[in-house]
Amino acid sequence: MKLNIAVLPGDGIGPEVTNQAVKALKAIASEFNHNFKFTTADVGAIAIDKHNDPLPEKTLDLCKFSDAILFGSIGHPKYDNDPSAKVRPEQGLLKLRKELGLFANIRPVKAYETLLDKSPLKKHIIQGTDISIYRELTGGIYFGEKQLSEDGNKASDLCEYSREEIERIAHLAFKAAQTRNNKVTLVDKANVLESSRLWRKVVTEIAEQYKDVTLDFLFVDNAAMQMILNPKQFDVILTENMFGDIISDEASVIGGSIGLLASASVGDKYAMFEPIHGSFPQATGKGIANPIASILSAAMLLEHFGLLTEAELVKQAVDKSLKLSISTPDINSKYDNVTTGKVGEFIEDFINNPKDTNMNFTNIHLGQSTII
């Protein structure tokens, strides 16, 4: 298969982790005789610095003429700490989602057996957790009309949804449930918000088309609590933009690190793949950023194009790296010399040599992640 992939590393640790995802994809291309072409462009704070625009037209055009987008992270303290800034890195990501029509964000949440002790939650609570969160991405309060009074003392943000916006992501969630455990949980705030009542009405109607899928409902505050008390009860979670943002970040504690969570943002024509973590500027250049989420995002890219065997090989490489503690410090207390790059090199080597399981541990932890 031939794919043109736009690579948008972004800010902070974005370039470091994205480089490891590209390594994995290049290894897959070599192993399976695919042709993947990678073209890099600026987005976020670095794009503001270089072009005075968080999403330059050149970057947007590249994305529109690519088969897929591999995204890193955006954000910088100089903008985070300045609420008066008119141009912000996040505007680039929001505009990208809107321009490309990326209306559905899909975030898998899995409790890895080898990392159960890394989670702040008890092992018996999280063991076996496997959730897929479907978050609506281009509507709601993030994109609604925003107002600030002239005296700066009153502000408002409009949360608005249409039937069409709800229907299109609801169908994706129900179809996903049919390939999993046949359960969809709608997370809303229908006891208070009119927009949530529309969500509940429309999703209930759509459920009639999927008789094999069970639909239930949770208010977002209860859902946040249940995510901690009993995450295994969830299969597919369907929710609106802001609730999905919060719930999926909360879910990151299940796996023990936000550095493990990948995501896909898809629309009718375009698809983008990115880790859910931020730019973590304090870790930039230190080699401590966990690249697993970015690498698993690359696996989701492969799945999107039907390359299921290839995606499974990437996941196997990730599983092996976790079992051998070839991981960054956020989840690895056994070795102190495993950097972002070494994790990427190990996964690259495993993809190129998947049948060789006799690991040379000394070389791995000396920096030569070689399979022999």
Side-chain angles (χ1 to χ4, degrees):
M1 178 177 286
K2 181 178 181 180
L3 293 176
N4 291 312
I5 301 172
V7 181
L8 277 54
D11 310 316
I13 63 171
E16 298 170 61
V17 297
T18 305
N19 284 344
Q20 311 316 312
V22 171
K23 282 182 188 176
L25 288 173
K26 286 182 176 179
I28 287 292
S30 175
E31 187 71 18
F32 291 88
N33 295 315
H34 297 309
N35 183 0
F36 297 163
K37 179 184 177 182
F38 302 90
T39 307
T40 302
D42 296 324
V43 70
I46 191 171
I48 297 175
D49 292 343
K50 288 184 178 181
H51 314 285
N52 198 34
D53 186 343
L55 182 65
E57 283 300 314
K58 183 178 179 180
T59 298
L60 182 58
D61 289 343
L62 171 66
C63 294
K64 288 182 175 179
F65 288 100
S66 297
D67 297 302
I69 304 152
L70 193 62
F71 195 93
S73 60
I74 56 170
H76 193 281
K78 68 181 178 183
Y79 299 101
D80 296 340
N81 300 327
D82 182 9
S84 66
K86 298 299 182 183
V87 180
R88 311 182 68 85
E90 294 77 13
Q91 293 169 347
L93 179 57
L94 293 177
K95 182 179 178 182
L96 189 62
R97 291 170 177 170
K98 199 72 173 179
E99 288 283 341
L100 300 183
L102 305 176
F103 64 83
N105 184 246
I106 306 161
R107 298 188 175 186
V109 178
K110 181 179 179 181
Y112 289 92
E113 192 69 26
T114 54
L115 297 178
L116 294 178
D117 62 336
K118 302 297 181 184
S119 173
L121 302 180
K122 293 180 179 179
K123 180 177 179 179
H124 74 273
I125 292 176
I126 63 173
Q127 193 167 30
T129 297
D130 186 355
I131 307 168
S132 189
I133 300 175
Y134 276 68
R135 166 193 170 193
E136 201 288 324
L137 204 57
T138 57
I141 199 167
Y142 290 177
F143 289 92
E145 181 183 351
K146 305 177 191 314
Q147 293 185 350
L148 179 66
S149 64
E150 290 185 6
D151 62 6
N153 293 321
K154 186 177 181 181
S156 65
D157 298 277
L158 177 66
C159 182
E160 187 174 57
Y161 270 107
S162 67
R163 170 179 286 272
E164 179 187 7
E165 288 174 316
I166 299 168
E167 286 178 340
R168 61 187 183 181
I169 189 171
H171 281 294
L172 292 182
F174 278 99
K175 289 174 182 176
Q178 288 179 317
T179 68
R180 293 170 52 89
N181 293 316
N182 294 294
K183 180 182 178 183
V184 170
T185 300
L186 176 64
V187 173
D188 60 26
K189 194 64 177 171
N191 57 334
V192 176
L193 301 178
E194 196 64 48
S195 56
S196 283
R197 287 190 275 274
L198 179 62
W199 268 85
R200 192 168 288 210
K201 177 177 183 292
V202 172
V203 172
T204 300
E205 292 172 0
I206 289 175
E208 292 298 315
Q209 302 176 39
Y210 300 89
K211 298 292 188 181
D212 55 335
V213 178
T214 300
L215 171 65
D216 66 357
F217 309 93
L218 282 178
F219 296 144
V220 64
D221 43 354
N222 188 22
M225 180 175 66
Q226 294 298 324
M227 186 70 72
I228 302 301
L229 294 176
N230 181 22
K232 290 192 291 287
Q233 70 183 280
F234 297 109
D235 180 27
V236 173
I237 293 176
L238 169 63
T239 191
E240 60 100 69
N241 204 342
M242 184 170 69
F243 296 160
D245 192 2
I246 297 167
I247 287 289
S248 58
D249 277 11
E250 180 193 17
S252 70
V253 304
I254 293 171
S257 172
I258 199 171
L260 299 173
L261 294 189
S263 77
S265 299
V266 303
D268 293 327
K269 185 176 180 181
Y270 301 103
M272 182 169 72
F273 306 87
E274 61 179 308
I276 79 162
H277 59 68
S279 60
F280 195 11
Q282 302 91 330
T284 304
K286 296 181 180 179
I288 61 174
N290 193 334
I292 295 299
S294 190
I295 292 169
L296 289 175
S297 296
M300 294 184 76
L301 184 156
L302 295 169
E303 289 174 332
H304 180 76
F305 290 99
L307 304 177
L308 304 184
T309 301
E310 291 88 332
E312 183 59 30
L313 182 54
V314 174
K315 293 177 184 178
Q316 289 174 9
V318 168
D319 285 340
K320 180 65 79 171
S321 73
L322 296 176
K323 288 176 182 177
L324 296 177
S325 296
I326 303 173
S327 312
T328 45
D330 55 317
I331 55 173
N332 173 23
S333 57
K334 188 173 182 180
Y335 302 104
D336 60 6
N337 64 339
V338 183
T339 64
T340 306
K342 288 180 183 178
V343 175
E345 289 167 10
F346 172 82
I347 289 172
E348 178 185 31
D349 284 345
F350 184 94
I351 292 169
N352 288 327
N353 303 275
K355 296 180 180 179
D356 294 334
T357 56
N358 178 25
M359 312 306 301
N360 186 332
F361 295 98
T362 302
N363 281 352
I364 289 168
H365 293 291
L366 283 175
Q368 302 169 22
S369 54
T370 305
I371 300 176
I372 62 171

